[in-house]
């Protein structure tokens, strides 16, 4: 009896269901946390990781060549198929494209991000954000078709180069093996340009954020310690911006690895991983091979992150 | 041989905004100079101009007689310790210390020798392989100082190096920096807003306000002979009491200096008395009248008393022994230790106070 009155002296019981639930959570914060976190965790666990595992599982099945049905028995045959010449070609092509796109995105994005982080103020900063974000607001397909028109043989780029008497330059470029072609819109160069354009914001913004977080006095201390601007860049600014560059490259690299629309519309007709997945799970109906193809970018990204970590890309975090 | 620094009419403007208004200052070789003043008075700006991190808008900076305005920071022979340490988060302590030597392309063995010596001086040898984020505030501060030491600069510059530390560590580091400077003998310029730091560390204090020098002098010089109300109020703790008294009561010598000449009997003057110079000993000089004790801070041996004078003004008194709230004290002071300021705020010498002070 006395225990009950004691308890009531501390927490006056609220009436009503809502009040009692609220009291319960107040007294049991762990339960509250669990209730709050359960839905998103379940979503992440089941919908996201679950489907990823299902995908992984699919890749260890094979397809019966005669019936075209999936044979639900564990086998590495599909992976063997993945590594045959045609498919390996697709993988190498895609990875090279992703690597080059990432490299050039970083090279172009860094100065822009640097300017925005260190020098742009007020109005110019707003303009920078607008300029970087604006392309993200328009439809992806519209942008790609716009580029198709720009890069086409009768397009504005050819016209401009003709006016500038530089058409020979374009022709020389297009006559190069592998990266050349009939026109930019049907060459790897065209695919590359559009990839770089479309993913650029994903590279600029993380680099800009990381540069913005570098305290000014670290730069000042460096010049006080006798560094030339080049040394400051190499030993201070670049290492501190590296997590941002890695974050940006994760975007550009993985987005290029997975994209199947840009190479479809712009470029030579040779397949990229995304297109291969699309074809295998659609017309060819080879779900296991499609699954095996999708495992490739996951593995590559895993290796990439591991290597970046080993090289100390995240030391400054 | 240590290095001399000279500022001649140094001005700093940011666009149309002038923040340093023509500073003239000579710092002698080997001197520990402290720039002190309230926040925003331009201490950092002045220091950064000496360091070369901020362009000098007008006037000249001379180091050992050579004009340095256009010389890059690295060639001025200075090393700066920043308030927030500015250690490189991606480098180990060793790398941080070695950084300034590696950029100068010193031989590896020489770098190691200097780094280890600095580490020994600062007792941070066990920390050399750690990253800055694994260090405490005091340890980071040592590394930052070590980074300056290894370069064997002619001049050390410190910008509020202790303000991120807790009180106890601050006192300890204060002593260490002062000892270090004595040991190395470098000319040192140290910026702080804390007058206690200035008083305890400096050979020479430069009091700044709003981009102008208010007074330059040795710590006790400033304490004993403040030139104006600002310096008098800024140096010393607890703060000097400022009492309004009638100018008519004050006799002025014929050879009086300062603002004495412009004195007008109808404008009240300010009498400055340090709390520690007020006593309850009736044999001492002039009488201040009864003070009613309203608040007491007992420090054990000493007591800081906040009391109200007859005219309602609050007066701080530091007394030996103990006092209770509500008591009334008959207060006295030694006129030789009091300061008289004219209406324009400047000190007045050669004035004689009456035996009993009437506050207005
Ligand atoms: N980059 C700047 N642009 C404009 N005004 C500045 C700049 N840096 C400092 N100031 C101004 O100069 C004055 C002195 O600043 P500072 O030297 O940092 O003061 P302190 O170090 O004494 O606190 C301040 O009024 C400050 O607002
Ligand atoms: Mg400052």
């Amino acid at each position: 009896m006395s225990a009950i009155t004691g308890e009531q002296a501390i927490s006056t019981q609220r009436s009503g269901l809502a009040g009692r639930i609220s009291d319960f959570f107040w007294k049991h914060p762990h339960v509250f946390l669990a209730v709050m976190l359960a839905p998103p965790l379940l979503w992440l666990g089941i919908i996201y990781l679950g489907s990823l595992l299902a995908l992984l599982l699919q890749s260890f099945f094979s397809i019966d060549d005669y019936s075209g049905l999936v044979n639900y028995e564990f086998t590495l045959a599909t992976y063997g198929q993945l590594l045959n010449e045609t498919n390996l070609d697709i993988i190498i092509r895609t990875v090279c494209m992703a690597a080059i796109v990432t490299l050039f995105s970083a090279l172009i994005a860094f100065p822009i991000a640097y300017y925005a982080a260190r020098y742009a103020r007020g109005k110019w900063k707003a303009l920078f954000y607008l300029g970087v974000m604006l392309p993200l607001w328009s439809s992806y397909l519209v942008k790609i078709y716009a580029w198709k028109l720009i890069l086409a043989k009768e397009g504005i780029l050819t016209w401009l180069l003709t006016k500038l008497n530089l058409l020979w330059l374009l022709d020389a470029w297009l006559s190069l093996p592998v990266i050349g072609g009939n026109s930019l819109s049907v060459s790897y160069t065209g695919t590359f340009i559009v990839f770089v354009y479309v993913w650029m914001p994903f590279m600029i913004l993380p680099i800009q954020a990381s540069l913005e977080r570098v305290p000014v006095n670290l730069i000042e201390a460096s010049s006080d310690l006798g560094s030339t601007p080049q040394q400051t860049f190499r030993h201070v600014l670049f290492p501190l911006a590296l997590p941002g560059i890695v974050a940006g490259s994760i975007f550009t690299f993985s987005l290029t690895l997975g994209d199947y629309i840009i190479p479809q519309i712009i470029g030579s007709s040779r397949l990229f991983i995304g297109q291969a997945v699309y074809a295998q799970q659609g017309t060819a109906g080879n779900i296991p091979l499609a699954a095996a193809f999708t495992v490739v970018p996951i593995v590559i990204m895993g290796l990439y992150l591991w290597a970046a970590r080993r090289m100390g890309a995240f030391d400054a975090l | 041989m240590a290095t001399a620094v000279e500022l001649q009419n140094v001005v700093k403007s940011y666009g149309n905004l002038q923040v340093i208004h023509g500073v003239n200052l000579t710092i002698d070789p080997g001197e520990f100079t402290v720039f002190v003043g309230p926040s925003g008075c331009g201490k950092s700006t002045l220091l950064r101009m000496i360091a070369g991190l901020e362009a000098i808008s007008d006037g000249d900076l001379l180091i050992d007689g050579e004009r340095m305005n256009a010389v890059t920071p690295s060639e001025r022979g200075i090393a700066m310790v920043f308030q927030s340490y500015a250690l490189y988060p991606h480098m180990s302590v060793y790398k941080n210390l070695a950084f300034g030597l590696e950029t100068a392309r010193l031989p590896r063995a020489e770098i190691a020798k200097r780094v280890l010596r600095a580490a020994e001086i600062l007792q941070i040898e066990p920390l050399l392989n750690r990253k800055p984020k694994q260090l405490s505030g005091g340890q980071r501060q040592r590394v930052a100082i070590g980074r300056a030491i290894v370069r064997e600069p002619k001049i050390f510059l410190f910008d509020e190096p202790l303000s991120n530390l807790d009180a106890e560590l601050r006192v300890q580091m204060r002593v260490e920096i002062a000892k270090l400077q004595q040991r190395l003998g470098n000319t040192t310029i140290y910026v702080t807003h804390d007058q206690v730091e200035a008083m305890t560390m400096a050979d020479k204090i430069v009091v700044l306000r709003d981009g102008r020098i208010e007074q330059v002098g040795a710590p006790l010089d400033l304490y004993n002979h403040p030139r104006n109300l600002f310096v008098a109020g800024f140096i010393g703790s607890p703060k000097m009491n400022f009492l309004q008294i009638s100018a008519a009561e004050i006799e002025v010598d014929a050879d009086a200096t300062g603002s004495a000449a412009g004195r007008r009997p109808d404008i009240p003057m300010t009498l400055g008395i340090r709390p520690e110079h007020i006593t309850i000993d009736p044999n001492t000089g002039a009488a201040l009248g009864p003070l009613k004790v309203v608040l007491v801070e007992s420090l054990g041996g000493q007591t800081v008393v906040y009391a109200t004078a007859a005219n309602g003004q609050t007066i701080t008194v530091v007394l030996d022994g103990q006092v209770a709230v509500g008591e009334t004290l008959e207060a006295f002071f030694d006129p030789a230790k009091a300061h008289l300021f004219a209406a324009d705020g400047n000190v007045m010498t050669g004035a004689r106070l009456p035996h009993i002070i009437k506050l207005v």
Side-chain angles (χ1 to χ4, degrees):
Chain A
M1 187 63 209
S2 66
I4 293 167
T5 42
E7 199 166 87
Q8 275 174 342
I10 297 163
S11 63
T12 32
Q13 213 81 34
R14 256 175 287 184
S15 57
L17 185 62
R20 255 177 293 142
I21 291 174
S22 163
D23 284 344
F24 178 79
F25 282 148
W26 170 249
K27 286 181 198 156
H28 303 91
H30 293 293
V31 178
F32 181 61
L33 197 68
V35 168
M36 289 291 283
L37 281 179
L41 281 179
L42 282 176
W43 171 268
L44 209 73
I46 295 173
I47 310 286
Y48 190 76
L49 291 177
S51 56
L52 207 63
L53 283 176
L55 186 76
L56 197 66
L57 205 62
Q58 289 278 348
S59 68
F60 290 107
F61 299 147
S62 64
I63 197 152
D64 190 303
D65 281 338
Y66 298 104
S67 63
L69 294 174
V70 176
N71 182 6
Y72 294 101
E73 254 173 56
F74 180 84
T75 170
L76 289 174
T78 308
Y79 280 100
Q81 204 185 342
L82 183 69
L83 296 177
N84 77 20
E85 201 176 331
T86 333
N87 292 338
L88 202 59
D89 247 13
I90 295 176
I91 292 170
I92 291 172
R93 179 179 307 129
T94 311
V95 171
C96 287
M97 178 60 81
I100 295 171
V101 165
T102 299
L103 182 70
F104 276 81
S105 299
L107 287 177
I108 298 169
F110 198 94
I112 299 174
Y114 184 80
Y115 171 80
R118 292 255 154 250
Y119 298 105
R121 291 284 168 267
K123 195 173 65 183
W124 290 109
K125 195 140 204 161
L127 211 61
F128 159 81
Y129 279 116
L130 213 62
V132 173
M133 306 286 264
L134 210 55
L136 291 177
W137 300 346
S138 66
S139 155
Y140 169 75
L141 277 175
V142 168
K143 284 182 290 187
I144 297 168
Y145 277 110
W147 271 103
K148 180 140 186 111
L149 293 179
I150 293 172
L151 297 174
K153 200 160 192 74
E154 310 77 21
I156 190 168
L157 202 66
T158 314
W159 173 82
L160 190 72
L161 289 171
T162 317
K163 289 284 175 207
L164 294 171
N165 280 330
L166 289 173
L167 201 56
W168 56 272
L169 203 66
L170 180 62
D171 288 336
W173 184 266
L174 287 175
S175 65
L176 292 173
V178 186
I179 57 172
N182 243 334
S183 78
L184 281 177
S185 64
V186 295
S187 69
Y188 284 137
T189 311
T191 321
F192 164 80
I193 291 173
V194 178
F195 268 135
V196 169
Y197 167 80
V198 174
W199 307 144
M200 187 57 73
F202 298 103
M203 184 60 101
I204 294 178
L205 293 174
I207 297 182
Q208 190 249 356
S210 69
L211 284 172
E212 201 125 289
R213 266 180 314 183
V214 176
V216 181
N217 67 18
L218 291 188
I219 313 285
E220 288 179 342
S222 177
S223 83
D224 182 70
L225 289 167
S227 305
T228 59
Q230 291 85 334
Q231 285 172 321
T232 301
F233 180 83
R234 245 189 72 200
H235 299 296
V236 179
L237 207 55
F238 185 73
L240 293 174
L242 206 54
I245 298 174
V246 171
S249 67
I250 289 169
F251 284 120
T252 59
F253 200 73
S254 63
L255 286 169
T256 310
L257 284 182
D259 194 82
Y260 66 101
I261 294 180
I262 291 173
Q264 182 87 16
I265 298 172
I266 293 171
S268 71
S269 50
R270 289 189 204 97
L271 295 184
F272 280 66
I273 290 180
Q275 289 168 287
V277 173
Y278 185 71
Q280 291 301 340
Q281 63 89 34
T283 42
N286 190 345
I287 299 282
L289 185 57
F293 261 118
T294 56
V295 170
V296 173
I298 297 172
V299 170
I300 292 175
M301 287 314 294
L303 289 175
Y304 179 73
L305 287 180
W306 174 78
R309 198 191 136 87
R310 278 290 303 268
M311 279 164 50
F314 305 113
D315 284 4
L317 282 184
Chain B
M1 183 57 208
T3 300
V5 180
E6 197 173 345
L7 303 178
Q8 295 177 342
N9 273 317
V10 167
V11 171
K12 178 70 194 180
S13 309
Y14 291 107
N16 288 330
L17 179 73
Q18 201 181 70
V19 296
I20 303 285
H21 315 280
V23 164
N24 288 294
L25 180 67
T26 307
I27 296 170
D28 294 326
E31 206 167 42
F32 195 117
T33 303
V34 175
F35 291 174
V36 68
S39 175
C41 70
K43 310 176 292 288
S44 296
T45 305
L46 207 52
L47 192 75
R48 292 161 57 83
M49 283 195 286
I50 296 171
L53 297 173
E54 206 74 73
I56 297 171
S57 306
D58 200 9
D60 293 318
L61 165 69
L62 308 182
I63 294 181
D64 274 342
E66 254 179 87
R67 190 168 180 276
M68 287 286 158
N69 292 41
V71 176
T72 59
S74 55
E75 280 154 28
R76 293 188 185 193
I78 48 108
M80 180 141 164
V81 178
F82 292 82
Q83 173 176 350
S84 47
Y85 318 133
L87 299 178
Y88 296 114
H90 56 296
M91 298 180 193
S92 66
V93 168
Y94 184 95
K95 275 272 173 202
N96 266 286
L97 292 174
F99 183 71
L101 305 177
E102 279 171 357
T103 56
R105 304 228 152 76
L106 254 63
R108 199 175 270 267
E110 172 71 13
I111 294 178
K113 203 181 87 190
R114 288 208 205 171
V115 168
L116 292 179
R117 205 183 76 110
E120 187 198 319
I121 293 175
L122 294 163
Q123 294 165 348
I124 50 174
E125 289 147 306
L127 310 176
L128 285 175
N129 290 321
R130 293 207 202 159
K131 288 271 172 66
K133 66 172 170 235
Q134 298 165 308
L135 304 179
S136 70
Q139 291 169 331
R140 283 179 210 188
Q141 186 56 66
R142 277 167 217 256
V143 177
I145 294 171
R147 198 170 61 177
I149 291 178
V150 291
R151 303 191 61 224
E152 300 179 357
K154 293 189 281 185
I155 306 167
F156 283 123
L157 305 179
F158 292 88
D159 191 354
E160 310 221 12
L162 307 184
S163 51
N164 289 347
L165 303 180
D166 59 56
E168 197 180 334
L169 205 52
R170 202 144 61 199
V171 174
Q172 185 191 335
M173 286 303 292
R174 201 162 81 196
V175 175
E176 277 187 39
I177 292 178
K179 276 205 295 211
L180 185 71
Q181 195 269 343
Q182 275 170 17
R183 174 170 168 184
L184 299 175
N186 295 50
T187 306
T188 300
I189 306 175
Y190 184 106
V191 161
T192 178
H193 64 268
D194 179 355
Q195 62 90 22
V196 178
E197 259 173 51
M199 291 296 283
T200 51
M201 300 175 85
D203 294 323
K204 174 147 89 194
I205 296 181
V206 178
V207 183
L208 290 162
R209 177 168 62 154
D210 293 340
R212 287 192 178 81
I213 291 184
E214 291 287 323
Q215 192 170 355
V216 178
L220 288 180
D221 237 13
L222 300 195
Y223 179 86
N224 292 328
H225 308 290
R227 186 190 288 164
N228 56 35
L229 276 173
F230 178 77
V231 177
F234 197 79
I235 300 290
S237 173
K239 236 168 95 81
M240 186 185 280
N241 294 298
F242 293 131
L243 312 170
Q244 302 286 302
I245 60 172
S246 162
E249 290 187 48
I250 296 163
E251 285 176 52
V252 178
D253 287 350
D255 60 348
T257 59
S259 305
R263 179 176 79 99
R264 285 180 38 197
D266 53 330
I267 298 181
M269 303 179 74
T270 305
L271 177 65
I273 312 172
R274 296 203 182 275
E276 56 272 33
H277 294 154
I278 298 178
T279 70
I280 45 177
D281 173 8
N283 298 324
T284 313
L288 206 51
L291 302 180
K292 193 166 160 52
V293 177
V294 290
L295 188 71
V296 167
E297 286 172 4
S298 248
L299 306 175
Q302 281 190 326
T303 308
V304 181
V305 179
Y306 300 92
T308 359
N311 70 343
Q313 192 183 351
T314 299
I315 293 179
T316 315
V317 183
V318 175
L319 295 175
D320 293 335
Q322 290 160 8
V323 184
V325 172
E327 271 185 60
T328 301
L329 309 171
E330 278 299 329
F332 302 88
F333 68 97
D334 177 1
K337 288 182 177 166
H339 310 265
L340 207 52
F341 301 95
D344 64 1
N346 288 326
V347 79
M348 210 172 107
T349 53
R352 252 189 318 262
L353 293 166
H355 192 65
I356 295 174
I357 301 295
K358 261 214 289 295
L359 303 175
V360 295

